[in-house]
Amino acid sequence: MCEASQAFRVPRDELERFMLAVLARAGADAMSAEAVTRALVTASRMGTDSHGLRLLPHYIHALQGGRIAGAPEMHFERRLPATGYLDAGDGFGHLAGYTAMEHAAAMADEVGIGAVAVGRSSHFGAAGCYALAAAERGLIGLAVCNSDPFVLLHEGSRPFHGTNPIAFAAPVGGESPFLLDMATSSIPWNRVQQYGAIGRELPDQVAADSSGGVTRIPSEVASLLPLGGSDFGFKGAGLGGMVEVLSSTLSGMLHGFRLLPMGGPDMSTPRGVGHFFLALRPDAFAPGDPFPDCMRRYLDDLRSQPSRDSAHVMAPGDREWRCRARRDAEGIPLDVANQRAYAELAETLDVPALQPLV
């Protein structure tokens, strides 16, 4: 979501300054700190608040506990002309994500397609950050990741899959990319936490209590419903399984049901999260490179479709780019819970406090 107004707002460069300083003070090397900051600020600028700046305190906790290596020894092996494997060394998933997509993009530049499986990684924030990194260099990008169990199987009684996100981005000449970033659950788990922190009720058909019944109260949530809710959740559950195969299974990692919980209590044992990244070079397919013109016609037709009432038909990413423009101009908002969390980080790590716009 992208709030129209918020009292406490910070400029992008101030948020980046604070994050880099906090991560470095907590033990992250320069490359890790830069990757985490890049991903969190990218998400917050686009209004993906559940995966943006609010995650910094969690990452600091995991780093200080030893779950995440602040200076990981990553190793990339190119297995075939268009495939590779990245051992992320139990470091930050954000560094693994950007590094893996860079390798995938390099192979795509060379042979038209590049795919990288990642093992021994950790939570990487918003999957869209890595698909977007491919699109920003003219490639089609796909990013998926497994996570610990939060989501019921269709007609299941206990969580099995994680929120297992899918992100897809494609370049669009002269404007921001087409960007789809979605959980295979009805909502991400972080959205439950975010709504709970601000005392907001959840939408219907997105979450369940300990008995499997639908609930809208964040404090009652024991699991999430797969995309499609209680009636059509076989769709989301199937997509969650597809992500699991591409991420954990392809990389040789534990599938989500066996992962340690992201929220602890064990913050010392690495989790071994798996990711998968794909990059495609559009001009490597149809003769004559029709992709740019076809993409433009598709989006023009999509956006010109009639809408209901006062709504407006948008392509995937349109909402994010509008929010990004607003937040770049007006600052990135922090709710009361995040203001407290950031003040505590500043105090405990002896870093100059985050300064709002005046």
Side-chain angles (χ1 to χ4, degrees):
M1 65 185 140
C2 191
E3 301 91 341
S5 64
Q6 187 91 17
F8 193 100
R9 289 178 173 266
V10 297
R12 171 187 175 181
D13 58 355
E14 171 64 4
L15 185 58
E16 290 171 339
R17 187 275 306 168
F18 184 85
M19 288 183 172
L20 287 169
V22 164
L23 286 158
R25 187 66 67 120
D29 63 16
M31 290 182 63
S32 296
E34 289 167 4
V36 175
T37 297
R38 176 184 175 187
L40 294 187
V41 173
T42 295
S44 284
R45 289 174 69 209
M46 293 191 300
T48 311
D49 294 314
S50 60
H51 285 66
L53 61 85
R54 69 169 298 277
L55 287 173
L56 181 63
H58 167 77
Y59 293 142
I60 297 301
H61 186 36
L63 177 61
Q64 292 179 322
R67 167 186 283 183
I68 296 175
E73 294 184 7
M74 297 195 306
H75 175 70
F76 176 73
E77 179 185 1
R78 187 169 181 176
R79 304 278 293 161
L80 290 170
T83 68
Y85 176 76
L86 177 69
D87 181 334
D90 297 319
F92 279 105
H94 319 73
L95 179 60
Y98 285 123
T99 301
M101 186 56 88
E102 185 65 28
H103 285 297
M107 290 187 287
D109 286 340
E110 181 183 342
V111 299
I113 184 172
V116 177
V118 178
R120 291 214 304 145
S121 188
S122 62
H123 192 265
F124 69 1
C129 294
Y130 315 104
L132 180 60
E136 288 175 338
R137 56 185 289 169
L139 303 172
I140 295 171
L142 174 75
V144 299
C145 174
N146 78 324
S147 58
D148 49 313
F150 289 119
V151 187
L152 295 178
L153 292 172
H154 183 55
E155 298 185 342
S157 61
R158 61 187 288 193
F160 183 77
H161 285 139
T163 51
N164 291 16
I166 299 170
F168 174 86
V172 181
E175 65 177 75
S176 297
F178 177 105
L179 175 63
L180 170 69
D181 186 358
M182 54 171 273
T184 52
S185 56
S186 292
I187 58 171
W189 184 261
N190 283 330
R191 187 67 54 82
V192 176
Q193 296 174 308
Q194 178 193 1
Y195 276 40
I198 61 177
R200 183 170 175 178
E201 195 173 68
L202 292 166
D204 192 22
Q205 290 292 316
V206 301
D209 59 24
S210 58
S211 67
V214 175
T215 181
R216 300 184 64 182
I217 309 303
S219 62
E220 295 179 356
V221 173
S223 59
L224 304 175
L225 294 177
L227 188 65
S230 56
D231 291 333
F232 299 99
F234 56 87
K235 298 182 179 183
L239 287 172
M242 180 196 76
V243 169
E244 197 71 63
V245 171
L246 286 173
S247 54
S248 66
T249 307
L250 201 60
S251 62
M253 295 290 102
L254 293 174
H255 66 78
F257 184 68
R258 297 183 179 272
L259 280 178
L260 287 173
M262 177 180 172
D266 183 352
M267 283 291 176
S268 62
T269 304
R271 297 175 68 223
V273 175
H275 317 304
F276 176 77
F277 302 91
L278 176 70
L280 303 172
R281 186 173 142 184
D283 66 356
F285 293 88
D289 188 21
F291 181 83
D293 289 340
C294 288
M295 194 72 187
R296 170 54 54 208
R297 286 197 297 272
Y298 164 64
L299 291 176
D300 286 347
D301 286 347
L302 185 156
R303 293 178 177 127
S304 66
Q305 295 306 300
S307 62
R308 295 176 302 162
D309 302 323
S310 60
H312 183 70
V313 174
M314 294 188 290
D318 285 356
R319 183 198 66 83
E320 286 83 355
W321 310 135
R322 292 178 184 179
C323 186
R324 185 176 68 176
R326 181 182 303 164
R327 290 187 171 187
D328 283 352
E330 300 175 358
I332 297 169
L334 277 75
D335 60 34
V336 173
N338 284 316
Q339 291 173 43
R340 288 196 297 263
Y342 271 55
E344 183 176 341
L345 285 175
E347 182 177 355
T348 58
L349 293 171
D350 193 25
V351 169
L354 196 62
Q355 297 300 310
L357 286 169
V358 293

